[in-house]
């Protein structure tokens, strides 16, 4: 038996970011601020979308789902990230690590599909405004949003099952701040070719196909806009698309860099820095861009906050 002199690992230590304490303290404060901001922002968007009757439309239902997703997507990784900034030797059990892997990739895949659905929805609304409500009716909208979640959770299922049947030999240290695919694949006892190939293929298929869908939706939108005669509508729609494209490019740029690299050597330092973008920054920026460009959401926001203020005053005065 080859396995006898290898101890099986039951717990991992995250190495996180290196550096002196004050540098890591600065990181901690920075990440905590961004995390709390994105929690507040996304909660506010969900409450606004759910409470406001005028926002019961596909576009906003998708937006509400995106915000709900971003909360979990960032929470899955940021909690350990914050701990590793502040403390040495933050640990995670093997089952915790596999759970984190599974949730992180499920959320990531859901996000890719949902962003593609939102781009397609935009495309339908602009390309075919008259038939839009017919094409994107309530059942279709339900199907799309439920389908994003189901598809997202199915995508990493097989590689998660494979991983949970393999043994980890160590070293016990994970040179990252969460159980990302490449850092943990380095720690298996056995050959990881199959699981690496599977995981890379699944990620690439989800990422590239949703990216192509988004790009072709926006491509069609731009062509439609160029044909439009009204300058005002043109400018408005164009600036909306440009801002969506910016966030989509940041998100997809970083995840394509991180996950679509068959056979390339993984660089831990670059990997960690790039992960910060899609784990911490996009959950704050994404919903913000989709919301700030939108008059209806902003109006509903103000209404919602005013109601809250009235309610608080009422409670205050009765006491
Ligand atoms: C998410 O989508 C479902 C439809 O599948 C909808 O009922 C729900 O309200 C949405 N969630 C949010 C927070 O908007």
């Amino acid at each position: 038996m080859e396995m006898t002199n290898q101890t099986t690992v039951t717990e991992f230590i995250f190495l996180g970011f290196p550096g002196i304490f004050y540098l890591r303290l600065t990181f901690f404060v920075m990440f905590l601020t961004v995390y709390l901001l994105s929690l507040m922002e996304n909660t506010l968007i969900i409450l606004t979308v759910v409470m406001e009757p005028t926002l019961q439309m596909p576009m906003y239902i998708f937006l509400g789902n995106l915000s709900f997703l971003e909360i979990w997507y960032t929470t899955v990784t940021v909690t350990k990230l914050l701990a590793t900034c502040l403390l040495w030797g933050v640990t995670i059990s093997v089952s915790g690590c596999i759970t984190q892997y599974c949730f992180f990739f499920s959320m990531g895949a859901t996000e890719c599909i949902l962003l593609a659905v939102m781009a397609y929805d935009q495309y339908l609304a602009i390309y075919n405004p008259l038939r839009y409500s017919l094409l994107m009716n309530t059942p279709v909208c339900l199907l799309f949003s439920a389908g994003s979640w189901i598809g997202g959770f199915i995508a990493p299922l097989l590689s998660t099952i494979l991983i949970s049947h393999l043994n980890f030999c160590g070293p016990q240290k994970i040179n990252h701040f969460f159980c990302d695919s490449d850092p943990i694949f380095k720690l298996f006892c056995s050959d990881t070719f199959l699981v690496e190939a599977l995981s890379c293929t699944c990620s690439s298929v989800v990422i590239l196909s949703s990216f192509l869908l988004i790009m072709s939706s926006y491509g069609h939108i731009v062509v439609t806009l160029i044909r439009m005669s009204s300058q005002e509508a043109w400018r408005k729609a164009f600036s909306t698309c440009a801002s969506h494209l910016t966030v989509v490019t940041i998100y997809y740029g970083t995840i394509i860099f991180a996950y679509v690299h068959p056979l390339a050597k993984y660089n831990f330092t670059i990997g960690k820095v790039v992960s910060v973008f899609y784990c911490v920054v996009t959950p704050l920026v994404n919903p913000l861009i989709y919301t700030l460009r939108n008059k209806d959401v902003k109006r509903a926001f103000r209404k919602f906050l005013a109601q809250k203020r009235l309610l608080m005053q009422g409670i205050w005065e009765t006491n």
Side-chain angles (χ1 to χ4, degrees):
M1 283 278 172
E2 281 295 299
M3 302 289 285
T4 43
N5 60 355
Q6 291 176 322
T7 44
T8 305
V9 172
T10 55
E11 207 176 51
F12 295 113
I13 300 171
F14 287 119
L15 294 186
F17 286 96
I20 54 164
F21 180 71
Y22 290 106
L23 183 63
R24 287 185 295 123
L25 190 65
T26 313
F27 281 146
F28 175 80
V29 173
M30 225 163 62
F31 294 147
L32 184 66
T33 312
V34 175
Y35 178 56
L36 291 179
L37 277 178
S38 65
L39 282 191
M40 269 168 18
E41 167 207 342
N42 284 310
T43 310
L44 204 62
I45 292 177
I46 294 173
L47 288 176
T48 309
V49 167
V50 171
M51 306 275 218
E52 177 60 41
T54 57
L55 297 186
Q56 298 305 315
M57 286 189 283
M59 183 181 166
Y60 304 114
I61 288 174
F62 295 141
L63 185 64
N65 275 265
L66 183 72
S67 284
F68 182 72
L69 172 71
E70 300 286 18
I71 289 179
W72 298 110
Y73 182 64
T74 177
T75 302
V76 165
T77 53
V78 166
T79 39
K80 287 285 180 190
L81 169 63
L82 290 175
T84 55
C85 286
L86 219 50
L87 309 162
W88 287 119
V90 173
T91 59
I92 191 168
S93 66
V94 167
S95 55
C97 190
I98 295 171
T99 313
Q100 192 184 38
Y101 171 92
C102 178
F103 273 95
F104 174 74
F105 282 95
S106 304
M107 303 289 176
T110 309
E111 168 132 8
C112 286
I113 304 174
L114 201 55
L115 287 176
V117 165
M118 290 172 79
Y120 176 69
D121 176 65
Q122 286 262 315
Y123 154 74
L124 276 189
I126 291 180
Y127 188 70
N128 212 336
L130 296 180
R131 290 182 56 211
Y132 173 72
S133 53
L134 207 71
L135 294 171
M136 188 55 84
N137 53 22
T138 313
V140 173
C141 168
L142 267 172
L143 189 76
F144 273 138
S145 51
S148 311
W149 288 93
I150 295 169
F153 273 80
I154 288 176
L157 204 58
L158 204 56
S159 56
T160 308
I161 293 172
L162 266 181
I163 286 174
S164 60
H165 282 88
L166 292 172
N167 281 327
F168 290 98
C169 282
Q172 216 185 348
K173 299 186 176 76
I174 295 182
N175 189 3
H176 210 291
F177 56 85
F178 75 103
C179 289
D180 201 358
S181 51
D182 285 298
I184 65 169
F185 290 165
K186 299 265 183 295
L187 311 177
F188 289 118
C189 307
S190 42
D191 182 34
T192 55
F193 177 76
L194 182 67
V195 63
E196 273 189 66
L198 183 74
S199 150
C200 184
T201 312
C202 282
S203 310
S204 306
V205 167
V206 171
I207 293 172
L208 294 180
S209 59
S210 60
F211 186 60
L212 279 182
L213 252 167
I214 292 174
M215 284 304 156
S216 70
S217 295
Y218 281 114
H220 277 97
I221 290 175
V222 169
V223 171
T224 315
L225 288 180
I226 288 171
R227 291 214 199 99
M228 245 182 216
S229 46
S230 152
Q231 279 283 315
E232 190 48 39
W234 195 91
R235 196 168 321 117
K236 185 165 158 277
F238 195 79
S239 77
T240 306
C241 288
S243 57
H244 288 189
L245 270 182
T246 312
V247 291
V248 161
T249 310
I250 296 174
Y251 182 62
Y252 276 90
T254 51
I255 59 173
I256 287 176
F257 179 83
Y259 300 111
V260 187
H261 55 74
L263 309 175
K265 202 165 174 300
Y266 184 73
N267 180 318
F268 285 99
T269 311
I270 296 176
K272 274 186 270 191
V273 174
V274 168
S275 316
V276 167
F277 277 92
Y278 54 79
C279 292
V280 186
V281 179
T282 43
L284 175 71
V285 176
N286 251 355
L288 200 66
I289 294 287
Y290 281 91
T291 316
L292 281 186
R293 312 277 345 168
N294 194 301
K295 260 200 231 95
D296 298 327
V297 179
K298 278 194 281 191
R299 194 182 312 123
F301 246 15
R302 266 184 235 117
K303 193 172 138 190
F304 178 71
L305 289 178
Q307 276 172 356
K308 280 280 137 320
R309 204 170 312 129
L310 280 180
L311 195 69
M312 296 299 263
Q313 273 171 2
I315 292 170
W316 192 245
E317 277 154 17
T318 48
N319 279 338

